[in-house]
Amino acid sequence: MNSLIDIKNVSFTYPNEKEPILKDVHLTVEKGEFLAVIGGNGSGKSTLCKLLNGLIPHYYSGDFEGEAVINGLNSATSTVAELSEHVGYVYQDFENQIVQARVLEDAAFAPLHFGYSDYLERARNALTIVGLQDYEDEFVWQLSGGQKHLLALAGCLALNPEIIVLDEPIAQLDPYHAKQMYEILRKLHCEHNKTIIVIEHHTEFIAEYCSEVLLLDKGKIVWKKSVKEALTAVSDLTVRNIFPPQVTQAANALKLETLPITLREACDTFAKFKRHELSSSNGVSSSSISKPVAEFKEVDFSYQTVERSYKKILENINISFYQGEKVAIVGNNGAGKSTLLRLLTGFRKPQSGQVYVKGKLTAKQSPEKLADIVTYIYQNPEQMFIEDSVRKDVEFYLKARNRKGYEETVDYILELFHLTELQDKDSRLMSGGQQRRASLAIGAAMDPAVILLDEPTANLDIATRKQLIQFIDKLADRTELVLMATHDMQLVSEWATRVVVMNNGQIIYDGNKDGLFSNPMLMRRAGIIPPQIVELSNQLNITPAKYTIDSFIELFQEEPGWIMQKT
């Protein structure tokens, strides 16, 4: 095998930082690897990968030591342009990579500017690989979020690089498009002989698709192992707040000698053991309560395109939400989830039909007035930040409304969301998890009747997502109704009391989790893939399905001591 990447003694320190983000890193990546890079927030994953295309040391200034050789090119003496022909990079904020108005133009941008005469052929081949060959004349803004992500990948593939790096490739994708992305990466790996490197938090995808795993901690490489060895090194992972696949966690909790890492392995493992039949209740809707908190009556919504035609986003929406509910609104990218939420804020008005919040018709209320009872917490927390410190952001609304005694309220909210020690810090300079907490605190301080959450766990590692669920529950305790648009099926399975499924602007399911996760046809239609522990329950014919690891392992617990008995 030939080494494509050879990194020796590399250390890197960003300007104004005392500690290096990378510390004496040694790494070899062979041709044909499918490598997952894992580690907690701030461990140096993205910085390490930016070595590969020359952004470090050429674009990001700082103190650089050591040597990085990429497909025979020294990153310090080669330009970013030279390296980009060997390394394709899809960033976490992939929409910033899209620079042209139409799909084919964008895919052709790189080979055109590198002077390749066959730039259109390269672009069309790349679009075919990612499944966008029928969209080449479309405007970029007409694409869904998942399609834009694939276009960013196509733009890299048009240069036919040996190495493809993706920073959290499925962070903003619904489950169906997440799987589609990894199937494309598998095709590139197996059929086109590409070396793939992904920065990934979702260990279930790592188990299914990757061949090796690199663990980083505080800027140092802990180990590089085969995927099986890596994901069964449970203590190494959990001590760093990295969670193995759900099936691996369950088997480890039951102290099995051999730990599965994929659903297939887990089905074979757990089918050998007896299990108890336990009663279970997974929560039901509160729709028996007579008066709704929020209500949609025959609502349609469209927007006008640049071609002056109208694109329908919501069609004939009739639904009511009630006090005490924790509602997850799910569905594939472009299903209309975020639009549904925004109609409740008054910033958007229905094309036809009526939307009510606490009995008020939103069409006759200003967004400023509705803000007294409805708070929308954006997917990007930075959209919630106005001032130069966490405390000022949290108190902004209260001060603007001249609320008496707001200082005490702010003190309480900061303590509730574990932000007291961070209150003087600029919210924009905090970690992703801290920014999420700050955005939730801003919403809680407004003391609304309804809180709307748009993808609250996007771009967070699993440990931070688990912690965030606790803070979302604190929001639910302070308000009448929480509505959440999300692709995070683990969050849905552990948190929601009611699930609304949307597809092409319509509601195609409204009920509990059992009804959703036991209906394969419905899930396929809406692009939903259940959490791994739910899939395992279904494969083992466990009814009702288990939604948490703890509830699953209870089925196999004989006596204290976790004694397992084969059938």
Side-chain angles (χ1 to χ4, degrees):
M1 295 184 73
N2 301 318
S3 294
L4 273 185
I5 298 170
D6 192 10
I7 296 173
K8 296 178 181 178
N9 306 106
V10 166
S11 296
F12 183 74
T13 306
Y14 286 107
N16 302 318
E17 293 291 335
K18 295 180 180 178
E19 288 292 319
I21 187 67
L22 296 177
K23 302 174 183 177
D24 195 28
V25 169
H26 294 257
L27 174 65
T28 298
V29 177
E30 307 292 346
K31 181 179 175 59
E33 288 188 21
F34 197 141
L35 176 68
V37 181
I38 63 174
N41 290 334
S43 60
K45 304 184 299 295
S46 295
T47 303
L48 174 66
C49 288
K50 287 181 174 68
L51 283 175
L52 306 182
N53 66 352
L55 290 184
I56 293 175
H58 296 296
Y59 183 80
Y60 294 95
S61 60
D63 294 330
F64 177 82
E65 299 176 4
E67 181 182 65
V69 178
I70 315 301
N71 202 20
L73 298 178
N74 189 306
S75 66
T77 57
S78 302
T79 66
V80 173
E82 289 170 334
L83 288 164
S84 65
E85 290 193 272
H86 300 266
V87 182
Y89 203 123
V90 180
Y91 298 92
Q92 190 173 333
D93 52 349
F94 57 86
E95 290 201 31
N96 290 335
Q97 292 180 248
I98 299 174
V99 294
Q100 296 293 294
R102 294 185 185 269
V103 170
L104 181 61
E105 293 172 353
D106 192 78
F109 182 83
L112 171 65
H113 286 79
F114 269 87
Y116 289 107
S117 60
D118 61 344
Y119 65 93
L120 284 177
E121 181 182 350
R122 285 169 170 263
R124 289 193 170 102
N125 287 340
L127 290 174
T128 299
I129 291 172
V130 302
L132 292 179
Q133 64 272 17
D134 295 330
Y135 295 85
E136 63 176 50
D137 294 324
E138 297 286 331
F139 285 106
V140 166
W141 55 263
Q142 293 177 297
L143 301 181
S144 69
Q147 290 170 330
K148 289 178 184 176
H149 209 156
L150 293 174
L151 178 57
L153 175 58
C156 297
L157 296 179
L159 288 176
N160 195 27
E162 284 282 338
I163 303 162
I164 302 167
V165 182
L166 301 98
D167 192 343
E168 298 194 34
I170 60 174
Q172 299 182 44
L173 300 182
D174 63 63
Y176 171 81
H177 286 102
K179 186 174 182 179
Q180 180 189 34
M181 173 64 82
Y182 266 100
E183 287 295 334
I184 291 169
L185 295 182
R186 173 181 277 168
K187 180 180 179 181
L188 288 168
H189 179 241
C190 296
E191 298 180 17
H192 297 268
N193 301 314
K194 301 300 182 184
T195 300
I196 311 292
I197 300 174
V198 293
I199 300 173
E200 187 57 85
H201 294 307
H202 298 81
T203 50
E204 285 87 355
F205 281 96
I206 293 173
E208 192 68 36
Y209 293 95
C210 296
S211 58
E212 286 85 21
V213 181
L214 178 74
L215 175 60
L216 282 172
D217 188 16
K218 298 177 181 177
K220 293 184 177 181
I221 292 178
V222 179
W223 43 246
K224 181 185 176 189
K225 297 177 181 285
S226 70
V227 67
K228 181 73 172 183
E229 289 181 295
L231 296 183
T232 55
V234 177
S235 59
D236 281 355
L237 299 177
T238 54
V239 74
R240 295 172 174 87
N241 283 321
I242 301 168
F243 291 85
Q246 286 189 318
V247 296
T248 312
Q249 294 179 57
N252 183 67
L254 291 165
K255 299 184 179 177
L256 302 188
E257 291 184 6
T258 302
L259 302 181
I261 65 171
T262 66
L263 183 63
R264 293 184 299 276
E265 293 175 359
C267 288
D268 293 339
T269 298
F270 285 101
K272 299 174 183 177
F273 297 101
K274 291 181 179 179
R275 63 176 184 262
H276 295 286
E277 297 300 327
L278 300 175
S279 61
S280 175
S281 174
N282 295 305
V284 296
S285 170
S286 306
S287 58
S288 59
I289 299 174
S290 58
K291 191 173 182 180
V293 177
E295 193 172 11
F296 292 76
K297 293 183 178 181
E298 299 181 353
V299 170
D300 288 353
F301 180 83
S302 303
Y303 70 80
Q304 191 174 20
T305 71
V306 295
E307 297 168 330
R308 299 188 180 277
S309 61
Y310 282 88
K311 180 176 178 61
K312 181 156 283 190
I313 304 300
L314 297 177
E315 183 175 1
N316 195 31
I317 301 296
N318 290 279
I319 194 167
S320 298
F321 301 105
Y322 298 87
Q323 185 170 345
E325 289 189 312
K326 297 190 289 187
V327 184
I329 303 174
V330 303
N332 43 21
N333 291 91
K337 304 183 297 295
S338 296
T339 300
L340 185 78
L341 294 186
R342 286 175 180 148
L343 285 173
L344 292 169
T345 67
F347 279 104
R348 290 185 177 176
K349 309 294 184 183
Q351 183 180 8
S352 62
Q354 298 85 40
V355 180
Y356 295 89
V357 181
K358 296 287 286 182
K360 298 179 184 295
L361 185 62
T362 60
K364 295 184 177 181
Q365 304 289 324
S366 69
E368 292 78 13
K369 191 68 175 176
L370 284 170
D372 288 333
I373 54 176
V374 180
T375 292
Y376 186 98
I377 298 178
Y378 291 85
Q379 179 176 342
N380 180 0
E382 291 193 10
Q383 292 180 264
M384 303 284 291
F385 306 146
I386 298 173
E387 298 284 0
D388 59 3
S389 75
V390 173
R391 185 179 187 89
K392 289 179 181 178
D393 282 327
V394 172
E395 70 184 14
F396 182 86
Y397 174 87
L398 299 175
K399 288 181 69 175
R401 292 294 198 273
N402 294 315
R403 295 283 177 87
K404 293 182 179 179
Y406 72 85
E407 293 91 346
E408 290 77 10
T409 299
V410 172
D411 288 338
Y412 173 73
I413 294 294
L414 291 173
E415 183 68 27
L416 187 67
F417 288 90
H418 299 179
L419 292 166
T420 303
E421 294 183 359
L422 298 170
Q423 63 180 304
D424 296 323
K425 192 166 185 177
D426 190 325
S427 303
R428 299 168 187 81
L429 302 179
M430 299 193 301
S431 70
Q434 291 169 339
Q435 287 186 344
R436 295 284 180 189
R437 294 211 313 269
S439 67
L440 295 180
I442 292 168
M446 297 168 74
D447 198 25
V450 180
I451 286 187
L452 312 173
L453 298 160
D454 193 356
E455 295 292 350
T457 59
N459 302 324
L460 298 181
D461 61 43
I462 305 300
T464 307
R465 286 161 59 201
K466 286 180 175 292
Q467 184 188 54
L468 195 69
I469 293 175
Q470 300 172 9
F471 293 111
I472 292 172
D473 278 334
K474 290 179 180 179
L475 278 183
D477 292 340
R478 295 178 54 85
T479 192
E480 296 182 30
L481 172 67
V482 178
L483 297 178
M484 176 193 301
T486 183
H487 295 315
D488 187 341
M489 290 301 116
Q490 286 191 33
L491 178 59
V492 172
S493 68
E494 295 175 8
W495 176 82
T497 61
R498 179 181 173 189
V499 185
V500 175
V501 181
M502 300 189 68
N503 179 248
N504 292 328
Q506 297 179 315
I507 293 172
I508 61 173
Y509 176 82
D510 179 9
N512 62 21
K513 293 173 284 194
D514 289 337
L516 170 62
F517 290 134
S518 63
N519 190 332
M521 187 176 296
L522 172 65
M523 289 190 289
R524 280 196 299 271
R525 182 180 175 190
I528 291 170
I529 298 174
Q532 195 179 49
I533 208 72
V534 178
E535 285 195 276
L536 180 58
S537 297
N538 291 336
Q539 292 284 334
L540 297 175
N541 297 315
I542 296 171
T543 306
K546 301 305 171 188
Y547 295 99
T548 65
I549 295 169
D550 288 344
S551 65
F552 180 85
I553 63 178
E554 284 179 15
L555 291 173
F556 298 86
Q557 186 177 4
E558 295 277 350
E559 299 290 344
W562 307 84
I563 299 171
M564 300 290 290
Q565 184 180 12
K566 287 190 178 182
T567 56

